[in-house]
Amino acid sequence: MSSPRSRANMVHVYNCHPYASQQIVQVEQEPGLVCCGGGALFVVASGGCKVEAYSVEQEGCPLICRFSTMGTVRSIQHSKTGDYLVTIEEKNSATYLRAYTNWRYQAEGKARVGVRLLGHLLRGASVRGGVQMEIIEIPLSEHPVAVACCSVTGDLLVGCEKTLVLFTLRRPNQQSLQSQSPWPNTQQSSSQSQGQTSSSNQNVSILDFERSVIVHLPKMSLKQVALCGGYVAVQAELEVLVLKLEASSEPQTPDDSSDTNTCDDPLEDQSDLLLIPRQQELLGDRAKDCDIPVSIEKTGLEDKGQYTLSYVLFRRFTPEFFQGCSVEETQLHSLQLYPLYTSSQSASTEEPACVFCFFSLPNAGYLYSLKGGVELLSAYQYPEKVLEAVLTDHLLHVITKNALQCFTVRCAAVAARMEDPYIDTTMKACPPCSLEVCALRMQLFIGLRSVCVYGRHVILLSAADMETPDESERSTQRRSRKWTISSPKETSAAGHGWNLYVVDTVSPLVLYREMVEYSRHYSETNPQAQSLRHLLSEAHLLLCASSLQQSSEGNHTVSLQKDADKQTEGQTEGQTEGQTERQEVQEALRQNCAQLGDCYSRASQKDCHQALPYYRMSGLSVTEVLVRNRPLPSSPHSYGLGFLFYLKHFLFEETEQSLSQESADEVIDIFSQSDPSEIISVCASPSMTNISPARTLRIFQHLEATAGVSVPLTITMATMMLRLDDLPQYTQLMDRHPEMLLVYGFIDEPRLLLHGGGGGPHTRVRPTSLTRQLSKSQPGLLVAGMVALHENNKAQLEQADHIFKELGCENCLLVDFWEATLMASSQEVVIQELLFRLASVYIERLTHTNSGAHSSLPRTRPQRRPLKSADDLINSSSHYGSLYPWLTVLCPAHTTNFQHQEALHKLQSLLCGPSMSIGSVLPLLERLSEETLWGFSLHLLCATRRGQFDSSIEKLLDRCPQAIIAFANHHLQDRHMALWWQKLLPELCDRTRAAADNSILLAALKETLVVVATETSPAQFLELIPDDGTASYFLPHLLTCSQRHLLA
């Protein structure tokens, strides 16, 4: 059991004029039915069998053509897609459904008309290229009650009493309907297109329909139907059901049930009971819980798939009495499905981004959004009985017995959010979909009967009845208490009791300007009034709707021009006018955003944040916003919360816009009065570079005297002293706190060191004046501060690199920063990146530094001694390993200059450490030659790290045999111990035999035999003795081995 949501929307009434002019259509006979579409107004004479078409887009509404129908027309609808008419006709007590295609050819005075049955194409003149109107008979097994045409696809939906029948619009060759339509300018967007009146063409348009699906609703008596983009809406007296009909390519299996709701009514047979249904509102998936069963039956002969139905919306009302309407008269009417396209869509080729459902009771109207979640947007409360209503993209037109009224709608608010994901963020804003609706000035008429809308033209049919003067006066007095009205128009000179009016609405831009003028009354009396904000929000949605409409029309025009591949001079002029109007709308949108920003700048805590996106969308500079928000003389120190919120976001975000000194000083005054706690962050903003340092320093000194000393405040004051070129005072302030506290101050306010670091790793950053001074006087503090910013995610590695490069310190402080960050970082990705960078720098220094002299290339020479020496890094960082002992033998200290030696030791230390990936550094080492001992040591380190001990032993014996024992003692341990006698001993024996007088080799051989005698058994040692007659040399070591073995 579910009950509808209670949503009592208050209706604002504004004295704005939505209607510009009106004209009377000169028809000869009293109209019985009217409809419009394709730039034409179709009039069916009362009780007649003739349709007259008038052009509503030309002055005087001239007659386009007239043609006879085959029966008395009871209902008529026009389809924008396909430009055809469909009628329900009666003749000889029988009801017929007919479609009239190519009706415009009757304007040429051609009397030829073809009549055919659905699916039976004529084989005569029309196929051979002749021109004629066709009447298509559409047979039905039940009497049709209502018809609807889809504005997106041109499909036809026929509602019988308990059945819906969907006819798909087809062309005989299955090609695109739009590309072959003889009147392409009638294929306009659904958002009230303003296209030109269509004219005849020599290419015949052959249309046909195919019966696709039948939907059975046995428990619902249909009164009205609507169809749009797969959505099907059905209306009974007090019930509305919206379904989504989708075609599937998969064939339906025999076991699948087509019933989507098979619940049975236990009181179905109790016809003697008077049951009053309960009110009910079911949205989305919950709509399937209604008690309306639906079953589908596919009838298409060409489609091999199946149709599926899903419930979207169900709404049920109970009969109620209200003033001017009896319980029996309480019935739903004006069912409508309305599509809306975003600015990036073309109304001719794409599925609409938004679909809305509207229906109305005599006393209230309801507007729902169907796509992206079913939602009730607005509930319209009418002051008197409404006979009919028509929804457009920016207004809802309703008629009572004697008045035409219009309300605002929220369709544009939904479409804006569908189109732009940045709506409702700090970047962009749009009035909410739940904004209370408003009513505009009404227009009085006499005896209104029906209303329809095409573009900006509202067509009204009136017929005077016999209302007594007393009743008319009471009705007028009742309306005048609630509405602002215009004087009624005179009837035509002919004196008959009926008229057909075409009332033109003003353009959205004109209505917007009137709303702005109307809003000045509120802004002068109470700038913070809720009504002012509401009226400006209405104006904003009006402009949004106009912008969406123009964009959709522009996209459609472009697509038609591509199809036609040519453009006439008139079209060029029309495009220029359209572009001018679009520019005017965009400029009006910016002005409106500025006005809304002004409203929200002084709003309450709940809504003040809206000032930021509206000011951003207005395109105003900060200086212009400052001028608009200067306090009133009555409250000179009062600034709105929204204005402060906007100002904080502008100053705290990294922008390239710098304020003038006057504006910057004004900002400092604002925050010193309104929010002194933020003044340090404000002063650190890159937009405040033109601030007066002396004046600001006085404000800081006063703040320090009242709030106490703080590290960020001290650093900011030192920055002001630096800008005043007072270095002694700057030094005195910086010496107030130890270096570690200053680093914490930089963490609290990173913009003291760098500007532009808040937008991600690729954001352009630049150093501040304080950063430049620190690079000269306190480089260690600068490096520590940048490392702290990086480790606290206040600056990215690439941004820090850029800062040091801007300072010209890429070969000294930048490397110091990398070394310090390597010691502090715990992120493996950062560690590997820094290891690679440091290895590259060390190799670069080794390559371009003369190892035997003090000369080096200027472009790579460090400007000062590094902050950390190799020994410091080895002692303080786990990534720098202690140098292997054999490296000291291979490359003794003080054999090269200091820079070369530091680079060599740091690189050797990295290779000796546990973190460096040898595979990544090998390509870099290819640049280093092995001819020098230091170059050879690096290559040997890599080979050793890769486990290539055999080749390393050979190379080391070749280049520096005095280091072999140190090498073996360090590396040939544990699982590599066997290499002492398997590799090293044989190598030494061979080399000693060849050079018996080499004392270095002999000493190494003795040390090796000592280790072998210690680690092997006598039998193993005996096998190692060579058989070349030198066994006596090995006997002492064999004896030592045997004695050790016996003692063990």
Side-chain angles (χ1 to χ4, degrees):
M1 182 173 180
S2 175
S3 61
R5 289 176 295 174
S6 59
R7 185 171 180 176
N9 285 13
M10 182 178 67
V11 178
H12 298 254
V13 181
Y14 297 124
N15 188 23
C16 298
H17 300 73
Y19 303 113
S21 62
Q22 73 178 42
Q23 54 185 324
I24 297 177
V25 184
Q26 300 298 325
V27 294
E28 297 179 357
Q29 298 180 356
E30 178 180 358
L33 296 172
V34 293
C35 76
C36 55
L41 166 64
F42 303 96
V43 181
V44 180
S46 179
C49 300
K50 182 175 292 186
V51 177
E52 296 179 340
Y54 298 87
S55 173
V56 296
E57 295 182 325
Q58 298 182 26
E59 187 68 25
C61 299
L63 179 69
I64 298 176
C65 66
R66 61 167 55 94
F67 56 89
S68 299
T69 62
M70 299 181 68
T72 303
V73 180
R74 300 304 182 191
S75 176
I76 184 170
Q77 293 287 333
H78 175 267
S79 174
K80 178 188 67 177
T81 304
D83 193 30
Y84 66 87
L85 290 167
V86 60
T87 63
I88 298 177
E89 303 176 12
E90 285 187 3
K91 188 174 183 180
N92 299 328
S93 301
T95 306
Y96 302 91
L97 181 67
R98 297 186 174 102
Y100 293 78
T101 66
N102 301 333
W103 55 270
R104 294 181 189 267
Y105 293 130
Q106 297 300 305
E108 300 177 0
K110 299 180 181 292
R112 184 168 53 189
V113 176
V115 182
R116 62 181 175 88
L117 199 62
L118 174 74
H120 293 72
L121 299 179
L122 297 177
R123 300 300 177 184
S126 64
V127 177
R128 295 192 299 269
V131 177
Q132 68 177 15
M133 182 178 78
E134 286 191 350
I135 303 176
I136 304 174
E137 290 275 1
I138 303 177
L140 295 169
S141 59
E142 300 181 48
H143 294 295
V145 176
V147 292
C149 302
C150 177
S151 60
V152 178
T153 62
D155 294 345
L156 174 63
L157 181 67
V158 182
C160 303
E161 187 174 356
K162 301 289 184 182
T163 305
L164 292 173
V165 185
L166 176 65
F167 294 90
T168 304
L169 182 64
R170 302 291 188 190
R171 299 190 65 85
N173 54 5
Q174 293 296 313
Q175 293 182 4
S176 170
L177 174 66
Q178 179 188 352
S179 62
Q180 297 190 15
S181 174
W183 309 286
N185 56 340
T186 65
Q187 315 270 331
Q188 303 166 23
S189 74
S190 59
S191 302
Q192 301 190 10
S193 303
Q194 305 296 324
Q196 300 296 324
T197 303
S198 302
S199 60
S200 298
N201 192 291
Q202 295 303 316
N203 297 323
V204 68
S205 175
I206 305 175
L207 305 180
D208 199 13
F209 298 91
E210 179 187 7
R211 194 192 316 260
S212 296
V213 66
I214 297 176
V215 180
H216 298 280
L217 297 94
K219 293 188 178 181
M220 199 170 184
S221 298
L222 309 185
K223 300 297 182 183
Q224 274 189 293
V225 295
L227 178 65
C228 179
Y231 288 91
V232 175
V234 182
Q235 173 189 301
E237 287 188 356
L238 291 171
E239 294 172 334
V240 172
L241 177 64
V242 181
L243 305 168
K244 185 71 167 69
L245 183 62
E246 295 177 303
S248 173
S249 59
E250 298 180 359
Q252 183 176 4
T253 61
D255 296 336
D256 290 341
S257 174
S258 60
D259 291 340
T260 58
N261 192 329
T262 58
C263 62
D264 296 326
D265 189 352
L267 301 178
E268 183 178 3
D269 298 331
Q270 301 183 19
S271 57
D272 56 337
L273 295 178
L274 177 60
L275 299 178
I276 298 181
R278 67 183 184 278
Q279 291 202 36
Q280 204 171 19
E281 182 188 54
L282 300 173
L283 306 181
D285 293 336
R286 295 181 58 226
K288 66 179 181 295
D289 297 331
C290 69
D291 56 356
I292 305 297
V294 179
S295 61
I296 59 177
E297 174 188 347
K298 187 175 75 70
T299 61
L301 300 179
E302 296 178 5
D303 292 341
K304 303 302 181 182
Q306 64 172 336
Y307 283 87
T308 59
L309 275 176
S310 57
Y311 287 82
V312 177
L313 165 67
F314 177 73
R315 187 74 189 261
R316 173 181 286 151
F317 300 89
T318 57
E320 294 179 352
F321 172 81
F322 75 102
Q323 186 177 6
C325 184
S326 65
V327 173
E328 291 77 11
E329 294 175 325
T330 304
Q331 295 184 8
L332 290 167
H333 59 75
S334 304
L335 177 66
Q336 188 175 353
L337 289 177
Y338 189 81
L340 193 60
Y341 296 84
T342 60
S343 59
S344 60
Q345 290 184 299
S346 171
S348 61
T349 59
E350 299 186 34
E351 183 181 351
C354 308
V355 177
F356 303 94
C357 179
F358 176 82
F359 49 87
S360 180
L361 287 167
N363 64 327
Y366 301 90
L367 177 62
Y368 286 86
S369 173
L370 301 183
K371 298 195 74 171
V374 185
E375 178 186 6
L376 175 63
L377 296 181
S378 305
Y380 298 88
Q381 301 298 323
Y382 308 137
E384 55 183 306
K385 179 181 177 181
V386 166
L387 304 178
E388 198 171 351
V390 180
L391 176 69
T392 67
D393 49 7
H394 65 280
L395 289 174
L396 172 69
H397 302 277
V398 303
I399 59 170
T400 63
K401 189 174 183 180
N402 295 311
L404 169 65
Q405 307 167 5
C406 76
F407 297 82
T408 56
V409 296
R410 301 292 168 255
C411 300
V414 177
R417 286 167 172 82
M418 286 281 192
E419 178 181 32
D420 195 341
Y422 291 100
I423 294 292
D424 299 326
T425 66
T426 58
M427 301 300 298
K428 295 182 181 180
C430 182
C433 303
S434 59
L435 185 70
E436 296 167 343
V437 297
C438 76
L440 305 180
R441 189 184 183 99
M442 71 161 43
Q443 188 78 35
L444 291 182
F445 289 89
I446 298 176
L448 292 181
R449 296 296 176 87
S450 67
V451 58
C452 59
V453 175
Y454 175 76
R456 294 177 185 170
H457 310 288
V458 182
I459 292 90
L460 301 173
L461 174 60
S462 69
D465 56 8
M466 301 301 294
E467 183 181 41
T468 64
D470 292 341
E471 292 175 349
S472 178
E473 182 178 357
R474 284 196 302 270
S475 177
T476 303
Q477 290 176 352
R478 184 170 63 251
R479 283 193 301 270
S480 63
R481 287 194 298 268
K482 300 182 180 180
W483 301 90
T484 303
I485 60 176
S486 297
S487 301
K489 303 295 180 180
E490 297 294 333
T491 59
S492 64
H496 49 68
W498 49 265
N499 272 315
L500 191 59
Y501 300 96
V502 176
V503 180
D504 294 336
T505 60
V506 299
S507 69
L509 195 58
V510 173
L511 186 55
Y512 159 77
R513 290 169 180 161
E514 186 176 3
M515 286 183 171
V516 171
E517 186 68 27
Y518 193 73
S519 69
R520 292 177 183 173
H521 167 72
Y522 295 107
S523 60
E524 293 173 357
T525 57
N526 185 5
Q528 301 183 38
Q530 184 71 21
S531 296
L532 173 61
R533 191 189 310 170
H534 182 274
L535 184 57
L536 292 175
S537 298
E538 288 287 4
H540 186 90
L541 292 178
L542 196 67
L543 293 174
C544 286
S546 178
S547 179
L548 289 173
Q549 173 189 342
Q550 292 171 352
S551 300
S552 179
E553 292 174 357
N555 293 338
H556 178 65
T557 302
V558 170
S559 65
L560 291 181
Q561 288 172 355
K562 288 181 179 179
D563 293 338
D565 199 26
K566 62 182 179 180
Q567 185 181 38
T568 64
E569 183 179 353
Q571 288 173 331
T572 304
E573 295 176 357
Q575 269 199 338
T576 303
E577 293 177 1
Q579 292 174 354
T580 302
E581 186 175 356
R582 277 193 290 273
Q583 293 173 356
E584 291 178 351
V585 170
Q586 294 303 317
E587 178 61 28
L589 263 173
R590 287 189 286 270
Q591 296 174 2
N592 174 260
C593 289
Q595 294 167 332
L596 281 170
D598 294 341
C599 286
Y600 285 107
S601 66
R602 296 184 180 275
S604 62
Q605 183 78 28
K606 177 183 177 183
D607 301 319
C608 66
H609 64 281
Q610 294 284 357
L612 173 62
Y614 280 117
Y615 274 142
R616 278 180 167 166
M617 295 165 65
S618 70
L620 295 176
S621 66
V622 180
T623 303
E624 292 170 323
V625 176
L626 285 173
V627 173
R628 300 172 76 101
N629 284 273
R630 283 174 181 159
L632 302 175
S634 58
S635 54
H637 302 295
S638 174
Y639 294 94
L641 295 176
F643 169 64
L644 294 176
F645 183 80
Y646 161 79
L647 208 54
K648 288 179 184 178
H649 268 264
F650 169 78
L651 296 172
F652 295 168
E653 293 177 355
E654 303 298 336
T655 64
E656 298 296 330
Q657 182 179 355
S658 296
L659 299 179
S660 64
Q661 180 175 337
E662 180 183 359
S663 298
D665 291 342
E666 183 178 354
V667 169
I668 287 294
D669 290 338
I670 290 173
F671 280 94
S672 64
Q673 298 169 13
S674 303
D675 196 353
S677 63
E678 299 287 354
I679 196 169
I680 296 174
S681 298
V682 169
C683 187
S685 170
S687 302
M688 303 288 285
T689 53
N690 297 323
I691 196 172
S692 172
R695 186 174 181 274
T696 306
L697 190 59
R698 290 193 295 270
I699 296 176
F700 285 156
Q701 290 170 345
H702 174 72
L703 179 63
E704 187 179 55
T706 56
V709 178
S710 69
V711 175
L713 179 59
T714 300
I715 300 175
T716 309
M717 294 173 64
T719 303
M720 294 297 108
M721 288 296 183
L722 193 62
R723 295 181 61 180
L724 291 171
D725 294 327
D726 192 344
L727 290 181
Q729 285 295 324
Y730 160 80
T731 305
Q732 181 181 354
L733 286 170
M734 293 297 287
D735 290 342
R736 275 188 183 182
H737 307 284
E739 184 175 291
M740 201 63 222
L741 290 181
L742 294 176
V743 171
Y744 287 140
F746 295 141
I747 295 174
D748 290 340
E749 184 46 71
R751 292 182 297 176
L752 292 171
L753 288 182
L754 55 90
H755 284 161
H762 304 292
T763 305
R764 180 178 177 270
V765 292
R766 57 188 183 277
T768 64
S769 58
L770 176 62
T771 306
R772 297 184 184 278
Q773 177 62 30
L774 290 177
S775 67
K776 301 173 185 176
S777 59
Q778 294 175 282
L781 176 59
L782 175 59
V783 169
M786 293 303 298
V787 171
L789 294 185
H790 176 266
E791 291 305 301
N792 287 274
N793 297 320
K794 300 297 180 67
Q796 304 294 327
L797 194 61
E798 292 79 4
Q799 293 172 340
D801 293 349
H802 182 75
I803 289 294
F804 287 108
K805 290 176 182 178
E806 284 281 318
L807 296 172
C809 305
E810 61 268 25
N811 292 311
C812 50
L813 285 185
L814 177 58
V815 180
D816 293 331
F817 166 74
W818 288 346
E819 292 171 346
T821 305
L822 180 62
M823 290 188 290
S825 180
S826 60
Q827 303 178 40
E828 185 62 27
V829 175
V830 175
I831 291 173
Q832 291 301 322
E833 174 68 20
L834 290 175
L835 288 172
F836 181 80
R837 292 186 184 187
L838 288 171
S840 302
V841 169
Y842 298 151
I843 292 174
E844 183 77 10
R845 289 179 178 179
L846 291 171
T847 304
H848 294 89
T849 303
N850 191 331
S851 62
H854 296 281
S855 63
S856 62
L857 295 180
R859 66 183 181 89
T860 59
R861 178 182 178 182
Q863 302 298 316
R864 57 168 64 89
R865 292 176 68 94
L867 296 177
K868 295 284 186 181
S869 66
D871 292 336
D872 295 333
L873 293 175
I874 292 171
N875 294 329
S876 58
S877 174
S878 61
H879 305 292
Y880 288 85
S882 298
L883 298 181
Y884 299 154
W886 58 271
L887 289 172
T888 306
V889 180
L890 189 62
C891 302
H894 311 298
T895 59
T896 61
N897 64 53
F898 174 78
Q899 295 176 8
H900 188 277
Q901 181 179 327
E902 280 294 300
L904 177 61
H905 284 182
K906 288 181 179 180
L907 182 56
Q908 287 176 339
S909 179
L910 283 181
L911 294 175
C912 292
S915 304
M916 170 65 77
S917 172
I918 299 301
S920 64
V921 79
L922 274 178
L924 301 176
L925 290 176
E926 292 177 355
R927 300 165 54 188
L928 299 180
S929 171
E930 295 188 27
E931 295 180 359
T932 60
L933 284 178
W934 59 266
F936 170 70
S937 70
L938 295 174
H939 285 280
L940 194 63
L941 269 174
C942 289
T944 304
R945 285 284 305 273
R946 300 176 69 186
Q948 299 173 358
F949 295 109
D950 290 3
S951 60
S952 298
I953 291 172
E954 294 175 3
K955 292 179 180 179
L956 193 57
L957 288 173
D958 290 338
R959 298 292 300 274
C960 187
Q962 60 267 34
I964 190 62
I965 296 303
F967 177 88
N969 284 331
H970 186 82
H971 293 292
L972 304 186
Q973 302 294 327
D974 300 327
R975 61 190 182 92
H976 301 297
M977 180 64 72
L979 291 176
W980 280 91
W981 54 87
Q982 292 177 359
K983 181 62 180 179
L984 181 57
L985 180 59
E987 284 288 338
L988 287 173
C989 290
D990 293 342
R991 293 171 188 267
T992 304
R993 187 180 302 109
D997 57 344
N998 192 326
S999 60
I1000 297 177
L1001 292 177
L1002 286 174
L1005 179 58
K1006 290 180 180 180
E1007 291 291 335
T1008 303
L1009 287 173
V1010 171
V1011 174
V1012 172
T1014 304
E1015 299 296 332
T1016 60
S1017 65
Q1020 291 174 323
F1021 190 91
L1022 187 60
E1023 292 179 359
L1024 297 174
I1025 297 176
D1027 54 358
D1028 57 354
T1030 59
S1032 58
Y1033 182 83
F1034 297 92
L1035 289 178
H1037 299 283
L1038 177 59
L1039 178 61
T1040 302
C1041 178
S1042 300
Q1043 291 174 345
R1044 181 191 59 80
H1045 186 71
L1046 290 173
L1047 292 175

